[in-house]
Amino acid sequence: MKICVCAKQVPDTNEVRIDPVKGTLIREGVPSILNPDDANALEAALQLKDEYKDTTISVISMGPPQATYMLRECLAMGADEAVLLSDRAFGGADTCATSTTIAAGIKMLGDVDIIFGGRQAIDGDTAQVGPQVAMRLGIPVVTYVQKIVEYSGDKIKVQRQLEDGYEVIEVKLPCFLTCVKELNEPRYMSVGAIVDAYKKDIKIYNHEDVKLDPKDCGLNASPTQVFRSFTPPVKGKGEMLQGSNKDMAKQLVVKLKEKHLI
């Protein structure tokens, strides 16, 4: 079985700050981490590899050269190979253009049975890239996977998380599965595995390697663009009204009149 895991390097959101003048993320001095949901996706792939010894795992990511550090973490956890899609032509991509590039990169890996990805990335929170990649590859997708029930060679049965429970879905391979944190607990890296990870080569592909025209990727192929990001100003302290409903209604009317709102 051949498995691909889509991973993303993201800023540690506990320390993300926004430049009040430029309205952009301040990345200087902010550590980058493996997207948490993608760690669950990798662990799901590793558990299948533990059970089915003929399994190989490839991790693929799109990002700047420093994303190789995150990919080496994936190798240290147990992945067999890592691929980084890195090119200035990929810059400024929205989810639509990102999925185009990642799908092209996955095609370079050859026939893949299962593609795992996180439910969403913590920096964008769109949950769009996984389903879009599946669409571009022409394969079925199951989102919000919280448990792998059964794997039987040509199909896989999973639990899909819902707001009020779950549903069991059986899907034929190849397929794309997006994972939630409830699926598992990602394993730790051993010191020996970390050392071995730095001995492995990471393949780096540009737009020519994945056979994409620059106009079909990155900012040029992004129908949506973020104009500005900003932190909303802190609101003033609220005031709690006391008394019966009738009394509170009278108090509210008085205060609204004082502020010339009515």
Side-chain angles (χ1 to χ4, degrees), residues 164-183:
D164 56 352
Y166 65 87
E167 58 183 352
V168 177
I169 298 177
E170 185 176 82
V171 60
K172 290 185 177 180
L173 306 184
C175 67
F176 198 121
L177 306 177
T178 72
C179 308
V180 297
K181 64 180 181 180
E182 290 81 5
L183 176 60

Side-chain angles (χ1 to χ4, degrees), residues 10-19 24-33 122-123 231:
V10 296
D12 188 335
T13 53
N14 289 328
E15 300 185 38
V16 163
R17 293 171 294 132
I18 295 178
D19 188 314
T24 56
L25 289 177
I26 300 174
R27 295 183 179 273
E28 292 77 12
V30 179
S32 294
I33 59 174
I122 59 174
D123 57 350
T231 301

Side-chain angles (χ1 to χ4, degrees), residues 25-259:
L25 289 177
I26 300 174
R27 295 183 179 273
E28 292 77 12
V30 179
S32 294
I33 59 174
L34 169 63
N35 182 56
D37 285 352
D38 296 342
N40 295 111
L42 177 56
E43 177 61 28
L46 292 171
Q47 289 181 8
L48 284 176
K49 182 181 177 181
D50 291 341
E51 187 172 353
Y52 303 96
K53 301 304 179 182
D54 60 341
T55 300
T56 59
I57 300 173
S58 301
V59 180
I60 190 167
S61 182
M62 188 184 90
Q66 58 263 34
T68 54
Y69 295 107
M70 176 272 297
L71 288 173
R72 292 200 185 280
E73 180 180 341
C74 295
L75 291 172
M77 288 176 67
D80 298 291
E81 67 170 351
V83 174
L84 176 62
L85 307 172
S86 187
D87 192 326
R88 288 189 179 276
F90 301 151
D94 65 357
T95 60
C96 180
T98 297
S99 64
T100 297
T101 302
I102 293 177
I106 292 175
K107 290 178 182 177
M108 296 292 294
L109 299 176
D111 294 332
V112 175
D113 297 296
I114 304 175
I115 304 171
F116 285 103
R119 170 193 55 175
Q120 60 191 42
I122 59 174
D123 57 350
D125 286 334
T126 65
Q128 294 174 352
V129 174
Q132 288 176 346
V133 169
M135 177 196 70
R136 299 190 186 286
L137 294 174
I139 60 176
V141 58
V142 181
T143 55
Y144 296 83
V145 173
Q146 69 174 13
K147 181 180 180 180
I148 296 177
V149 179
E150 182 183 2
Y151 165 73
S152 58
D154 63 341
K155 54 189 175 182
I156 190 167
K157 185 183 294 184
V158 300
Q159 284 185 9
R160 181 176 184 269
Q161 187 181 80
L162 302 175
E163 289 185 0
D164 56 352
Y166 65 87
E167 58 183 352
V168 177
I169 298 177
E170 185 176 82
V171 60
K172 290 185 177 180
L173 306 184
C175 67
F176 198 121
L177 306 177
T178 72
C179 308
V180 297
K181 64 180 181 180
E182 290 81 5
L183 176 60
N184 52 47
E185 184 69 31
R187 65 191 65 188
Y188 290 101
M189 302 171 285
S190 68
V191 174
I194 294 173
V195 173
D196 291 340
Y198 277 86
K199 294 178 182 178
K200 295 182 179 181
D201 292 329
I202 293 178
K203 299 175 183 176
I204 301 179
Y205 293 156
N206 59 29
H207 73 276
E208 293 179 342
D209 296 322
V210 296
K211 299 178 176 58
L212 283 178
D213 191 297
K215 66 178 175 51
D216 296 325
C217 51
L219 185 62
N220 293 328
S222 298
T224 57
Q225 298 177 21
V226 177
F227 174 69
R228 183 167 66 98
S229 297
F230 64 95
T231 301
V234 178
K235 295 182 178 180
K237 184 179 179 180
E239 180 180 351
M240 298 295 294
L241 301 178
Q242 303 291 331
S244 65
N245 291 342
K246 187 175 182 179
D247 290 338
M248 288 190 291
K250 288 181 179 180
Q251 294 176 51
L252 179 59
V253 169
V254 171
K255 292 183 179 296
L256 291 176
K257 286 182 177 180
E258 290 175 352
K259 296 181 181 295

